[in-house]
Amino acid sequence: MGTVPVHGPRPLDPTAVLGPPPPTDRLRGWVVTIVLALVAAVVRFSGLGSPTDAGTPIFDEKHYVPQAWQILRNGGVEDNPGYELVVHPPLGKQLIALGEMLFGYDGVGWRAASALAGVLTVLLVVRVARRLTRSTLLGGLAGVLLICDGMSHVQSRMGMLDAFSAFFVLAAFAALLCDRDDVRARMALVVTEARVDDTPYGPRLGVRWWRLLAGALLGWGCAVKWSGSYWVAAFALLVMLWDVTARRAAGVRRPWVGTLRRDLPPALWALALVPVLAYLSAWWAWFRSETATDRYAVGTEIGEGGPWSWMPDALRSLWYYSGKVLEFHSGLTTESSGVHPWESKPWTWPMGLRPMLYHYASGEQVSGCGTTDCVSAVMLIGTPALWWPALVVLAFALWRLVTRFDWRYGAVLLAYGAGILPWFANLDRQMYYFYMAPLAPFLVLATVLVMGEILGPSAAGRERRQTGLLVVCLWVGAVVANFVWLWPILVGAPITPDMWDAQLWLPSWRA
């Protein structure tokens, strides 16, 4: 029958494990990143203090901004136990409170932290796109697209929580990308030293600091909004798949078992325990408070005995309070609370078909448009030139994943799906377009990956590359021009009623 077949050949070249090397233009990469971050700072902070509602917050700022002010005056916790309206974890409001502490209780103060988070998100998306594509050009284009995204722009200029969610989710994704490259570099070293066959499960990889950081960032994301838990589950699955493929690429004989034995136990620490600890750390003021909502629920609202009596009373009280918050959110249904005028369902979100009007003023309240009848409005709109091709972009990404097994498309699709698919589970719940804020960076990343395909490989012919560059330039130019056109209704600038009417392109954009 012949000789016993030998297991598949081991990669002799470490780059077979590590993958394409990172770009060598590190200095230019950081210059591009910093310049785009500065541009984002100018765009996000310009006129940050307006508009307001006669000096008070607008739209849902009316919930979080006063609660952040309470945090400053009340020992770090909100004080509205009578109506149980403290319905989100404290971290986002603590960050808003830092801005109010520095700049005061005005538009700049209660929006400064969100604007800073928006700028840092632009910085991160440049670095993430560069690492995904190994191209400084595409990384820079990702920064331009996110700067010119109306959704990201408006949410970065609101005293709300979603800009922080977007930052923490993208930062965790960036940390996991660094962990992926670090793991493959360690595997490449093992291949070089011919230690792959020491055991059938592959080597132990030691402490993975990037993964620990990702766990902490995910926990803090949950401490802004509980929806961050969707990405905890999705990114844990992503890391496991990356570990399996890294061991397989290195020639480990039993990559699946090796991942379960070598990688899963420390992953539980990094992506299960660390997020919980990071989440609890945001409640530091609640734990030390004597007057926080439900702080001493044990013995008053719930009994001191029972099967959970072994837990500290503080954690049991927090669990009780969290149950009340969950009960509140479960009751936010169309049937019980009515239809909100700007409510939307998740199938409209990918293309931004139902935006939201955050602020509207007209007549004597507004001047400066050149007529006596001016309009000032702030509308949450994803830039159509970026958002309307979303279904085509996502479909192409799925096709590349299925036909080419391109892990980059899979990672971006998983992150995008984690933010939108869970909302289909309860369609009766009141939902809003601003839930898409954490997904905007991943839409940009998917778009940039498609742009890379349009540009073509570096070895392609001159005509092919120039044609691809022309198409990409036209696409990016359309996004920038579209953003400039929408600028007045993204920042509340005074415009004429005719201009206001011209900005509303679709019937679904109107009340």
Side-chain angles (χ1 to χ4, degrees):
M1 297 296 293
T3 58
V4 177
V6 180
H7 186 68
R10 304 290 183 267
L12 300 178
D13 184 358
T15 59
V17 182
L18 185 59
T24 57
D25 56 344
R26 296 186 61 184
L27 177 60
R28 183 172 65 171
W30 278 110
V31 169
V32 169
T33 303
I34 293 171
V35 168
L36 287 173
L38 292 175
V39 172
V42 172
V43 173
R44 299 297 193 248
F45 279 91
S46 177
L48 188 62
S50 62
T52 61
D53 186 2
T56 66
I58 62 175
F59 195 67
D60 273 8
E61 286 185 330
K62 294 182 182 296
H63 295 296
Y64 310 118
V65 168
Q67 289 175 355
W69 191 247
Q70 289 172 357
I71 283 175
L72 291 179
R73 298 179 301 147
N74 199 41
V77 295
E78 307 95 321
D79 54 3
N80 195 352
Y83 295 97
E84 291 282 355
L85 281 179
V86 186
V87 296
H88 285 294
L91 182 56
K93 289 163 282 188
Q94 291 169 352
L95 295 173
I96 294 173
L98 291 176
E100 293 175 344
M101 181 178 65
L102 293 174
F103 302 105
Y105 192 74
D106 57 20
V108 173
W110 65 62
R111 294 167 183 160
S114 293
L116 179 59
V119 172
L120 294 176
T121 303
V122 171
L123 185 150
L124 281 173
V125 85
V126 175
R127 304 305 298 178
V128 169
R130 184 175 182 270
R131 188 173 288 270
L132 277 175
T133 63
R134 306 305 199 197
S135 167
T136 299
L137 170 63
L138 292 174
L141 291 181
V144 172
L145 293 178
L146 194 62
I147 290 172
C148 296
D149 170 38
M151 154 73 82
S152 302
H153 179 76
V154 172
Q155 283 304 130
S156 297
R157 295 167 56 86
M158 294 289 290
M160 295 170 60
L161 307 180
D162 305 273
F164 306 122
S165 293
F167 167 75
F168 282 117
V169 170
L170 183 62
F173 185 76
L176 291 179
L177 279 178
C178 292
D179 175 70
R180 181 185 185 276
D181 282 352
D182 182 49
V183 164
R184 289 183 170 252
R186 299 185 194 189
M187 283 292 186
L189 179 62
V190 171
V191 170
T192 302
E193 296 176 351
R195 292 189 290 111
V196 174
D197 284 327
D198 287 355
T199 75
Y201 312 117
R204 300 183 185 276
L205 296 174
V207 179
R208 293 165 60 171
W209 298 106
W210 285 112
R211 189 170 62 179
L212 289 170
L213 175 60
L217 290 166
L218 288 170
W220 290 324
C222 293
V224 174
K225 275 190 169 184
W226 283 350
S227 55
S229 60
Y230 302 147
W231 283 282
V232 175
F235 288 170
L237 174 62
L238 184 64
V239 168
M240 289 296 97
L241 292 175
W242 282 352
D243 287 347
V244 169
T245 55
R247 290 182 181 275
R248 176 178 292 170
V252 173
R253 280 174 283 169
R254 303 185 67 184
W256 284 98
V257 178
T259 297
L260 293 177
R261 295 188 59 167
R262 303 287 200 225
D263 301 322
L264 181 59
L268 292 176
W269 287 92
L271 298 176
L273 179 62
V274 170
V276 170
L277 296 177
Y279 174 81
L280 292 175
S281 71
W283 292 88
W284 61 271
W286 187 91
F287 284 121
R288 66 186 291 270
S289 174
E290 296 294 325
T291 60
T293 305
D294 294 329
R295 172 60 181 86
Y296 292 97
V298 176
T300 56
E301 303 295 336
I302 55 178
E304 296 181 356
W308 299 102
S309 59
W310 57 272
M311 291 183 62
D313 286 353
L315 291 180
R316 292 183 66 200
S317 295
L318 180 59
W319 185 263
Y320 172 81
Y321 166 67
S322 301
K324 288 291 186 180
V325 173
L326 180 61
E327 182 181 337
F328 171 84
H329 283 291
S330 299
L332 286 177
T333 63
T334 303
E335 180 179 355
S336 61
S337 304
V339 179
H340 190 281
W342 292 100
E343 184 180 353
S344 60
K345 297 304 179 184
W347 56 78
T348 69
W349 296 348
M351 295 178 64
L353 298 180
R354 181 59 172 166
M356 302 188 68
L357 185 64
Y358 280 174
H359 169 77
Y360 182 88
S362 62
E364 297 179 355
Q365 306 175 60
V366 185
S367 61
C369 69
T371 69
T372 58
D373 187 16
C374 298
V375 171
S376 172
V378 175
M379 180 167 275
L380 183 70
I381 298 178
T383 305
L386 175 64
W387 285 74
W388 286 4
L391 294 181
V392 176
V393 168
L394 296 173
F396 180 84
L398 182 60
W399 178 75
R400 293 291 288 188
L401 173 63
V402 172
T403 60
R404 301 288 183 89
F405 300 103
D406 193 324
W407 68 269
R408 303 171 302 164
Y409 290 99
V412 173
L413 283 173
L414 184 64
Y416 188 94
I420 189 172
L421 294 180
W423 296 105
F424 284 89
N426 183 12
L427 294 176
D428 188 46
R429 191 188 188 279
Q430 287 186 349
M431 304 179 195
Y432 306 97
Y433 178 47
F434 61 76
Y435 293 173
M436 286 290 284
L439 275 68
F442 296 103
L443 173 61
V444 166
L445 292 173
T447 302
V448 165
L449 287 173
V450 172
M451 287 181 174
E453 302 285 352
I454 295 172
L455 283 173
S458 57
R462 183 168 178 267
E463 183 177 355
R464 166 70 178 84
R465 292 281 290 180
Q466 288 184 338
T467 303
L469 182 61
L470 175 62
V471 173
V472 169
C473 288
L474 290 174
W475 192 353
V476 175
V479 174
V480 175
N482 202 175
F483 179 71
V484 172
W485 169 261
L486 292 171
W487 177 266
I489 64 171
L490 299 177
V491 299
I495 55 177
T496 64
D498 289 340
M499 182 62 174
W500 165 242
D501 188 66
Q503 295 278 358
L504 305 179
W505 289 0
L506 299 178
S508 60
W509 290 20
R510 301 175 185 270

